[in-house]
């Protein structure tokens, strides 16, 4: 059986399982409607479509549709910046002009925690991993659907400690959203993975004898790309430079990856995914800072762009996200200062300071129907 015929059979089986017992013509009509039209709607549009009839509500409320919709939507229309400035969070669109976005909406934090203790660690497919700084508890949250799930275990094994731990969100081949937690305490290190499918944690066995696991290296949070969760480890305190590790999500093994090398005494990097490819901004050359943009190709790196020397070091101690709707990059420092980089321009024109959410705790995410609870339907 061809791939197209197999996909068609799967679609019809899925639709028949949600009340479609009439003629094949009706089935074909709903098949086209779901897989050619509704699956391309923004997440909010899908939510409104559920009100059309019970049949649509049944089909559009399943995890199967949510996962397929997440893979098909155009992020150009769904990328948002969420700023936690009170119990009511501000949500901004990113498909906007350089003057900054207008306020789109405000949403209430759904969990019981002081808003100024909420720290967004990372985002992936519409889900945010949030830490409560006063308790160390970890929560996975979808700001669009308001759904959230506390994932820290009752025995306090998987509580997060800022500046020591690292996390990473990803999805495996079974569409199970998982959270990897790297815990470091007193020179020792543990790795655990949370599964939304089983609502439980399990421990990862790894090469604990590697010297880079010990001491006081600075770990980035994970960046997921093509089945691998990547971590940058800054070991300059121990004169080892920057190291790149990849966690293969199927084998659950860490592996040391290649990373661009520089002759300078100090350099640092920020990982970002652009068009499903892993990229890194590398800052190097203290005290005369230079910033390069590299793309991973196989096991090597290719330099794509050199940043003009404007305000060094603007890309240290920050997070970088690619804005799909404009092709530019948003750089947010740890204290909330925002800058925008446009690699299509030259000189000082490529760098644009932004002030519309200065000093706010926030993150970029894509609006999806993804749920932190595997059995949400």
């Amino acid at each position: 059986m061809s791939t197209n015929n197999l996909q068609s059979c799967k679609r019809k089986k899925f639709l028949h399982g949600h009340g479609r017992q009439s003629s094949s013509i009706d089935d074909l009509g709903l098949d086209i409607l779901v897989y050619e039209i509704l699956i391309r709607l923004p997440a909010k549009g899908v939510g409104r479509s559920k009100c059309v009839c019970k049949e649509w509500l049944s089909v559009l409320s399943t995890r199967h549709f949510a996962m397929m919709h997440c893979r098909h939507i155009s992020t150009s229309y769904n990328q948002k910046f969420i700023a936690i400035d009170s119990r009511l969070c501000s949500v901004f669109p990113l498909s906007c002009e350089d003057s900054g976005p207008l306020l789109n909406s405000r949403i209430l934090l759904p969990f019981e925690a002081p808003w100024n203790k909420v720290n967004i660690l990372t985002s992936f497919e519409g889900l945010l991993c949030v830490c409560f700084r006063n308790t160390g508890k970890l929560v996975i949250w979808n700001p669009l659907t308001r759904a959230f799930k506390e994932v820290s275990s009752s025995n306090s094994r998987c509580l997060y400690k800022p500046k020591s731990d690292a996390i990473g969100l990803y999805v495996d081949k079974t569409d199970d959203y998982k959270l990897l937690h790297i815990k470091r305490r007193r020179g020792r290190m543990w790795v655990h993975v949370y599964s939304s499918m089983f609502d439980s944690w399990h421990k990862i066995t790894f090469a604990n004898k590697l010297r880079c696991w010990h001491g006081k290296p600075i770990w980035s949070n994970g960046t997921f790309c093509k089945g691998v969760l990547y971590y940058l480890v800054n070991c300059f305190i121990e004169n080892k430079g920057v190291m790149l590790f990849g966690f293969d999500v199927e084998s659950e093994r860490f592996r040391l990856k290649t990373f661009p090398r520089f002759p300078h005494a100090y350099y640092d990097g920020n990982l970002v995914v652009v068009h499903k490819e892993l990229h890194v901004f590398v800052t190097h050359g203290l005290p005369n800072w230079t910033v390069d943009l590299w793309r991973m190709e196989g096991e090597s790196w290719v330099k794509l762009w050199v940043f003009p020397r404007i305000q060094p070091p603007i890309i240290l101690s920050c997070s970088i996200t690619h804005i799909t709707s404009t092709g530019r990059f948003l750089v947010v420092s740890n204290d909330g200062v925002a800058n925008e980089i446009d690699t299509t321009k030259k000189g000082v024109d490529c760098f644009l300071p932004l002030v519309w959410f200065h000093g706010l705790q926030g993150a970029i995410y894509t609006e999806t129907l993804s749920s932190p609870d595997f059995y949400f339907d």
Side-chain angles (χ1 to χ4, degrees), residues 84-314:
I84 301 178
D85 51 353
S86 66
R87 286 289 298 175
L88 281 174
C89 304
S90 303
V91 179
F92 301 91
L94 289 178
S95 54
C96 55
E97 300 298 328
D98 290 349
S99 58
L102 298 175
L103 181 62
N104 183 41
S105 61
R106 294 181 72 86
I107 60 176
L108 182 67
L109 284 176
F111 21 77
E112 294 294 331
W115 69 267
N116 57 351
K117 299 297 183 182
V118 176
N119 187 21
I120 300 176
L121 302 176
T122 190
S123 66
F124 177 69
E125 294 192 349
L127 299 176
L128 302 180
C129 181
V130 172
C131 168
F132 303 152
R133 293 195 299 272
N134 56 332
T135 64
K137 290 183 178 180
L138 291 169
V139 169
I140 301 177
W141 171 39
N142 185 325
L144 177 66
T145 65
R146 312 294 197 267
F148 73 95
K149 188 175 186 64
E150 183 178 315
V151 298
S152 296
S153 59
S154 58
N155 60 6
S156 302
R157 181 179 61 184
C158 294
L159 298 180
Y160 182 87
K161 183 177 181 180
K163 299 182 179 180
S164 295
D165 297 359
I167 55 89
L169 271 172
Y170 64 93
V171 63
D172 65 13
K173 63 182 180 181
T174 66
D175 289 336
D176 182 9
Y177 284 113
K178 293 184 175 181
L179 177 68
L180 186 141
H181 178 206
I182 298 175
K183 178 179 178 179
R184 297 187 298 144
R185 301 289 188 275
R186 299 179 181 178
R188 299 186 62 189
M189 183 171 172
W190 301 265
V191 180
H192 295 87
V193 171
Y194 172 81
S195 165
S196 63
M197 180 184 294
F198 299 103
D199 190 23
S200 63
W201 292 85
H202 68 273
K203 188 176 181 179
I204 299 296
T205 302
F206 61 98
N208 199 36
K209 295 182 180 179
L210 292 176
R211 290 180 296 170
C212 62
W213 303 119
H214 304 287
K216 297 182 178 181
I218 301 173
W219 283 70
S220 71
N221 284 323
T223 299
F224 184 69
C225 183
K226 295 182 177 180
V228 179
L229 196 60
Y230 291 94
Y231 289 88
L232 281 179
V233 184
N234 188 323
C235 303
F236 275 98
I237 296 178
E238 301 176 9
N239 297 317
K240 299 174 187 174
V242 174
M243 309 175 81
L244 177 66
F245 283 90
F247 176 77
D248 185 283
V249 302
E250 298 305 329
S251 65
E252 295 192 332
R253 300 275 182 156
F254 282 97
R255 179 186 172 192
L256 181 64
K257 301 286 187 176
T258 59
F259 189 77
R261 294 297 176 184
F262 302 90
H264 310 293
Y266 183 86
Y267 57 94
D268 200 359
N270 295 85
L271 297 172
V272 59
V273 176
V274 183
H275 301 310
K276 300 182 180 180
E277 299 290 340
L278 187 68
H279 291 63
V280 63
F281 281 95
V282 181
T283 305
H284 59 97
L286 180 71
N288 298 315
W289 296 99
T290 299
V291 180
D292 305 334
L293 175 62
W294 299 71
R295 181 179 65 226
M296 176 180 272
E297 294 187 358
E299 293 297 323
S300 60
W301 291 87
V302 176
K303 184 189 291 187
L304 302 179
W305 186 74
V306 178
F307 191 92
R309 296 178 180 178
I310 301 175
Q311 291 186 3
I314 66 165

Side-chain angles (χ1 to χ4, degrees), residues 81 319-321 323 328-332 338-339 354 357 364:
F81 181 87
S319 62
I320 301 178
T321 307
I323 306 176
R328 293 174 289 187
F329 297 88
L330 186 67
V331 182
V332 184
N339 302 287
L354 301 175
F357 55 85
I364 289 180

Side-chain angles (χ1 to χ4, degrees), residues 51-114:
C51 301
V52 173
C53 62
K54 291 183 179 180
E55 189 172 35
W56 284 28
L57 174 63
S58 177
V59 173
L60 302 182
S61 298
T62 62
R63 181 179 181 84
H64 176 79
F65 179 83
M67 297 299 294
M68 293 184 62
H69 177 266
C70 184
R71 305 294 190 270
H72 282 79
I73 59 170
S74 171
T75 57
S76 300
Y77 301 101
N78 295 277
Q79 281 185 301
K80 306 289 183 179
F81 181 87
I82 183 169
I84 301 178
D85 51 353
S86 66
R87 286 289 298 175
L88 281 174
C89 304
S90 303
V91 179
F92 301 91
L94 289 178
S95 54
C96 55
E97 300 298 328
D98 290 349
S99 58
L102 298 175
L103 181 62
N104 183 41
S105 61
R106 294 181 72 86
I107 60 176
L108 182 67
L109 284 176
F111 21 77
E112 294 294 331

